Every structure is written in structure tokens, then in C-alpha cells.
Amino acid sequence: MAIITVDFDGTLYQGNSFKAMFSVGKDTFTAKQWAIVAAGLAKASAGGLLKGKNKFRHDFFRAFAKTFKGKTTEELDLFFQELVDHGKEEVHHTLVSRILDHQSNGDTVIVLSGALQPFLNAFIKHLQLKDVHVLSTELQFDRNGQCTGEIGQIVNGDVKVAKLQEWMNQQHLSENPPKEIWAYADSESDIPLLHFVSNPVLVNPKESMVKVAEENKWAIFA
């Protein structure tokens, strides 16, 4: 059995979940929710100037999550289903076929991503992929089942490696690890994970990442 990790944005999903959320929000958000997003965007822009693109993305992500405050799981499911409907044409179907091949070989598939977990769950359901684990950024809920508007640790960069190792410990795989761990990913932030696994695969990489793949002798899935 091998462990197969699959990134979401730019990999399994050829679009961008940030842009998808923004687009769907245009049709569904109230003025109050847009005010929250605008304030977060201003903060993200200021932080991005000082600390770079990832800081901008993380601050904006946290601001967007605040618009979900007070929502129930059922209400959020409706929003994330709209995201799926908006982005379903951008699924990388050839990669879906590769995932199914892995599963037919008895491999364990994990979608490992910084995207919000409810979005990934809805997308996996749409793709009719079964027995797929999801390790991703989680929305927080209070004891009454309402979203607090906060998110957990953003699963990006080195955090992906930590989350995968944590999951393997929970599955008691650390003492007897699988012979192969694969990673299908596309971006610079995935480099720590690509170095960690035994079978790194870059999916439709941009030119800068093609160079990284060539330097490290990593496979390319295009």
C-alpha cells in the first residue's frame, strides 16, 4: 500500500478557491459581509507589502472566513455547494483518473490542501471519489454548532508535512511506514512536501516550477 497525497488548488482543481469564493460571494454576501471582506483585504494588502504573497493570502483567507460567523453546518454546505457548481468545469479529470488507478492498486488517497475542509468535502462528493481522506484548513465551530468565523492552522508549506506525519502517527504508520508516499502538487509552497515524499510529481507546473522539477529530477504530470 502506498500513500497518495493530492494538492487541490492548481492541481486537482485547476482554478483558484480564493477567486471562486470571491465570485460566489458577489451573489450571496450581504453589505455587512462585504465590509468584513474589505477590511480584511486592506489588512492583507498591508501585510503582503511587508511579508510577501503568502502573508497576503493567509490574512485574506482569515478575513473571508469571518463572513461565516454564526452560520450552521447546513448553511455552509449550501455555500460550498455553490462553490462546487461554480468551479466544477475546472476539475483536472486526467488526475482524477490517476487517483482512481491508485485506489484500484489498494493505495490510500489523501487530499492535502490549504483550502477549507467543507469545500474539499463537497468537491470530493461531486467527483464521486470514495474513501478519500482530507487534511486541510478547518473552520471552527462553537458548542451550538455555529461557525465562529475563525479557522484553524492553514495547511500550507511545512504544515503539510507536519499534518501528514501527524496523520501517519494516528494510523500507526510511523513505526512501519509505507514503502511509497506520493505527492501530486504544483506550487512553490509544496516544495517541503515534495522533498519529504518518495515519489514527488508536479502537476501542470509553471515555468519556474519546471526548473525546480528538473533540478530535483521530479516527475511532471501534464
Side-chain angles (χ1 to χ4, degrees), residues 9-28:
D9 279 40
T11 305
L12 181 58
Y13 174 61
Q14 294 291 277
N16 184 300
S17 60
F18 286 92
K19 291 181 179 179
M21 287 193 294
F22 201 85
S23 181
V24 171
K26 286 193 297 186
D27 298 325
T28 61

Side-chain angles (χ1 to χ4, degrees), residues 101-149:
D101 288 342
H102 277 295
Q103 289 185 317
S104 68
N105 290 332
D107 298 335
T108 298
V109 176
I110 303 170
V111 174
L112 182 57
S113 169
L116 289 173
Q117 194 167 98
F119 184 29
L120 298 181
N121 288 337
F123 230 106
I124 289 168
K125 183 178 180 181
H126 167 73
L127 295 175
Q128 298 183 332
L129 289 172
K130 298 180 180 179
D131 301 320
V132 172
H133 301 269
V134 176
L135 301 177
S136 63
T137 306
E138 298 181 1
L139 281 170
Q140 303 296 305
F141 293 85
D142 64 23
R143 65 180 64 184
N144 297 317
Q146 291 184 325
C147 183
T148 64

Side-chain angles (χ1 to χ4, degrees), residues 79-108:
F79 176 81
F80 288 112
Q81 184 57 52
E82 287 192 54
L83 285 187
V84 172
D85 293 339
H86 177 83
K88 61 186 178 184
E89 300 302 322
E90 298 188 81
V91 173
H92 194 321
H93 289 287
T94 309
L95 182 55
V96 173
S97 296
R98 176 66 70 90
I99 290 170
L100 293 173
D101 288 342
H102 277 295
Q103 289 185 317
S104 68
N105 290 332
D107 298 335
T108 298

Side-chain angles (χ1 to χ4, degrees), residues 6 29 35 42 56 66 71 91 180 193 197:
V6 184
F29 278 8
F56 171 84
K66 290 184 184 299
K71 299 286 186 182
V91 173
E180 293 185 346
L193 177 66
V197 303

Side-chain angles (χ1 to χ4, degrees), residues 67-87:
T67 65
F68 300 137
K69 185 176 182 178
K71 299 286 186 182
T72 63
T73 301
E74 291 75 16
E75 289 172 322
L76 289 170
D77 285 345
L78 291 175
F79 176 81
F80 288 112
Q81 184 57 52
E82 287 192 54
L83 285 187
V84 172
D85 293 339
H86 177 83

